[in-house]
């Protein structure tokens, strides 16, 4: 029953995010709306972390399976991708390094701020 409750919460919040995306004319993905709704519900105590934690962990464990169709699609289009392989690889490396740097600086800021240090 606990898993059913978590699935209902997560899919209900996902549906609410989809509805907001449809009715609010902003270039914001539906998943972002859903994440903010979930954050608000968790912070307000309406949804308990224990209600959605086990289902969230299950979905995270299954997430790598969702990339298999995309990878197969890329493998099928290798001849078309050869023309853009170098720019694609360069963009991937640069953006990955950028995201890693921003994540590290954000984590460093949060940890310093949590410990009471000023940066």
């Amino acid at each position: 029953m606990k898993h059913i409750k978590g699935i209902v919460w997560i899919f209900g919040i996902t549906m609410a995010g989809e509805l907001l995306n449809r009715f609010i004319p902003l270039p914001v993905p539906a998943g972002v709306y859903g994440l903010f709704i979930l954050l608000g519900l968790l912070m307000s105590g309406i949804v308990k972390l224990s209600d959605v934690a086990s289902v969230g962990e299950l979905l995270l464990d299954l997430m790598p399976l969702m990339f298999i169709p995309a990878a197969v699609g890329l493998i099928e289009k290798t001849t078309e991708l050869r023309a853009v392989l170098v720019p694609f690889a360069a963009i991937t490396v640069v953006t990955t390094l950028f995201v890693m740097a921003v994540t590290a600086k954000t984590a460093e800021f949060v940890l310093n701020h949590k410990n009471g240090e000023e940066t």
Side-chain angles (χ1 to χ4, degrees):
M1 188 67 174
K2 182 178 179 180
H3 293 297
I4 293 173
K5 184 178 181 181
I7 289 171
V8 168
W9 272 118
I10 289 176
F11 287 136
I13 292 167
T14 301
M15 187 185 318
E18 292 288 341
L19 289 172
L20 283 176
N21 188 31
R22 183 171 298 246
F23 293 117
I24 297 176
L26 293 174
V28 177
V32 173
Y33 285 124
L35 287 172
F36 279 114
I37 293 169
L38 181 59
L39 177 65
L41 291 173
L42 286 169
M43 290 180 70
S44 68
I46 295 171
V47 174
K48 305 267 186 280
L49 182 58
S50 60
D51 293 341
V52 294
S54 63
V55 175
E57 289 173 7
L58 174 67
L59 291 173
L60 281 174
D61 289 341
L62 294 174
M63 189 170 49
L65 294 175
M66 304 303 168
F67 291 102
I68 292 173
V72 171
L74 285 173
I75 291 170
E76 288 179 350
K77 301 292 183 182
T78 53
T79 56
E80 291 90 354
L81 290 174
R82 283 194 179 128
V84 294
L85 186 60
V86 172
F88 180 76
I91 290 170
T92 302
V93 168
V94 169
T95 55
T96 300
L97 292 174
F98 177 75
V99 168
M100 288 172 65
V102 169
T103 303
K105 286 297 181 183
T106 303
E108 182 180 10
F109 173 78
V110 169
L111 289 173
N112 287 340
H113 185 68
K114 183 178 179 181
N115 293 334
E117 300 172 14
E118 293 294 325
T119 57

